[in-house]
């Protein structure tokens, strides 16, 4: 059975494509401003681009949106490798040195992309490509992270006017918001494990170009919070007391 996207406005994939490019641009900006790791930054960006390209090819050829009840589920194939790569970075000495050198202000700015992402999700819900519960009209409040990110980047890291505890709390809250929408999206996927939104499943993310949301954008945003929390729990992080 193939789950095709319903008729959607032509501007939607354009807006989402530009949002993905903005995410990659901000991500590379943060990586490239890591002293001594400029070469590694280029390789990581190329790896993300290659992964996004592979997932695009798979999606356009019906890998995810056909036989959606297959066991084991096919969707984890797109999301587990980025998580494993993050795990390698956090588990190795080289990886930890790299993570501890990343600039927190630039990492925080990446969350701004959550604003256009949330509007895309809302428009997808209007087109019945995802359930309303996955939007800010339902139970998804992730847009709060996008709205507050510039304030945290400026007052927290540029001006040093936010305490370490407040910065930790912001990252924990925003990570929680992200995991909430991820959980809703997974539970609404049109698979044999679907638990919510039975009449309006989450078909968007198993179609192109919205596959980039779970395989590129979400891992990058999740990465920023993990790195920030790691650095913020270390004494040498230069923020206000």
């Amino acid at each position: 059975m193939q789950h095709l996207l319903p008729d959607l406005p032509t501007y939607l994939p354009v807006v989402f494509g530009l949002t993905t490019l903005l995410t990659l641009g901000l991500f590379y900006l943060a990586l490239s401003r890591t002293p001594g790791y400029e070469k590694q930054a280029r390789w990581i960006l190329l790896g993300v681009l290659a992964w996004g390209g592979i997932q695009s090819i798979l999606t356009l050829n019906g890998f995810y949106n056909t036989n959606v009840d297959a066991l084991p589920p096919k969707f984890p194939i797109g999301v587990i490798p980025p998580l494993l790569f993050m795990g390698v970075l956090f588990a190795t000495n080289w990886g930890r040195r790299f993570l501890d050198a990343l600039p927190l202000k630039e990492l925080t700015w990446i969350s701004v992309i959550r604003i256009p992402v949330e509007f895309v999700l809302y428009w997808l819900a209007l087109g019945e490509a995802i359930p309303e519960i996955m939007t800010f009209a339902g139970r998804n409040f992730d847009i709060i992270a996008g709205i507050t990110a510039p304030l945290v980047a400026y007052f927290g890291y540029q001006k040093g006017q936010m305490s370490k505890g407040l910065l930790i709390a912001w990252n924990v809250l925003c990570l929680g918001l992200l995991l909430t929408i991820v959980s809703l999206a997974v539970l609404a996927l049109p698979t044999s494990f679907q638990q919510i939104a039975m009449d309006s499943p989450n078909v968007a993310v198993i179609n192109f170009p919205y596959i980039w949301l779970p395989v590129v954008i979400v891992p990058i945003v999740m990465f920023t919070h993990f790195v920030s929390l790691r650095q913020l729990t270390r004494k040498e992080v230069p923020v206000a007391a």
Side-chain angles (χ1 to χ4, degrees):
M1 180 179 181
Q2 185 172 15
H3 292 265
L4 298 175
L5 281 174
D7 291 332
L8 297 170
T10 55
Y11 63 80
L12 255 183
V14 175
V15 172
F16 183 73
L18 292 174
T19 300
T20 304
L21 288 177
L22 177 61
T23 305
L24 292 171
L26 291 173
F27 184 52
Y28 180 66
L29 178 65
L31 295 178
S32 64
R33 291 190 177 180
T34 308
Y37 291 93
E38 293 82 1
K39 182 178 180 180
Q40 288 86 347
R42 290 192 293 271
W43 279 110
I44 291 175
L45 178 65
L46 288 174
V48 173
L49 290 172
W51 184 246
I54 291 170
Q55 295 305 305
S56 300
I57 294 171
L58 290 175
T59 307
L60 288 169
N61 282 277
F63 180 77
Y64 292 113
N65 58 18
T66 57
N67 193 22
V68 294
D69 294 325
L71 292 175
K74 293 182 285 185
F75 193 73
I77 294 175
V79 298
I80 289 179
L83 297 178
L84 290 177
F85 178 69
M86 277 190 271
V88 170
L89 290 178
F90 279 87
T92 60
N93 290 330
W94 174 87
R96 288 192 291 266
R97 288 194 298 270
F98 171 66
L99 298 177
D100 291 339
L102 287 165
L104 295 189
K105 183 179 75 173
E106 283 75 8
L107 288 180
T108 302
W109 269 107
I110 294 175
S111 278
V112 172
I113 59 93
R114 292 153 93 158
I115 299 175
V117 165
E118 292 308 310
F119 278 101
V120 168
L121 290 178
Y122 181 71
W123 293 327
L124 286 171
L126 292 179
E128 299 182 347
I130 67 170
E132 185 182 81
I133 196 174
M134 287 177 55
T135 74
F136 50 68
R139 299 182 187 174
N140 177 8
F141 306 106
D142 198 53
I143 195 170
I144 295 173
I147 294 172
T148 56
L151 300 176
V152 174
Y154 181 75
F155 291 106
Y157 298 113
Q158 185 166 327
K159 293 296 185 180
Q161 295 177 355
M162 294 175 65
S163 68
K164 182 184 295 187
L166 188 56
L167 292 171
I168 290 174
W170 182 82
N171 276 281
V172 170
L173 172 64
C174 294
L175 184 58
L177 292 173
L178 180 64
L179 294 177
T180 297
I181 177 55
V182 168
S183 299
L184 293 173
V186 171
L187 292 175
L189 285 171
T191 68
S192 56
F193 299 101
Q194 184 178 357
Q195 299 294 315
I196 61 175
M198 308 304 290
D199 57 339
S200 180
N202 175 20
V203 298
V205 298
I206 56 174
N207 284 277
F208 181 84
Y210 309 104
I211 187 67
W212 293 334
L213 181 58
V215 305
V216 174
I217 295 179
V218 169
I220 287 176
V221 174
M222 191 177 295
F223 174 79
T224 68
H225 291 305
F226 287 152
V227 173
S228 296
L229 288 171
R230 171 179 167 80
Q231 288 196 31
L232 288 167
T233 55
R234 298 170 67 84
K235 294 181 180 180
E236 62 268 23
V237 177
V239 296

